[in-house]
Amino acid sequence: MRICVYGAASPTIDPNCMELVEQMGKELGTRGHSLVFGGGGHGLMGAAARGVRAAGGHIVGVIPKFFDEENVEEIC
């Protein structure tokens, strides 16, 4: 199943929240789900993606082209 996560991209989120979301991502990956997310490496979306990837799951980052062209956000 593909699961979409939309969450805050701020790097200043409480570390406990970041850890919980990364654990959730690991669980998704372990269960064979893939993740579609906002494409950034920061915040909750980045934590979810790191978790899924750590569990061997597939991630798909969706990010507007101008973000990449203008270096607004690093692509995970």
Side-chain angles (χ1 to χ4, degrees), residues 23-44:
Q23 288 175 6
M24 177 201 70
K26 287 179 183 175
E27 188 63 30
L28 293 175
T30 298
R31 292 179 182 216
H33 301 300
S34 62
L35 176 72
V36 178
F37 73 113
H42 301 292
L44 297 176

Side-chain angles (χ1 to χ4, degrees), residues 2-16:
R2 288 185 196 145
I3 298 178
C4 180
V5 171
Y6 178 80
S10 171
T12 62
I13 296 170
D14 183 310
N16 292 324

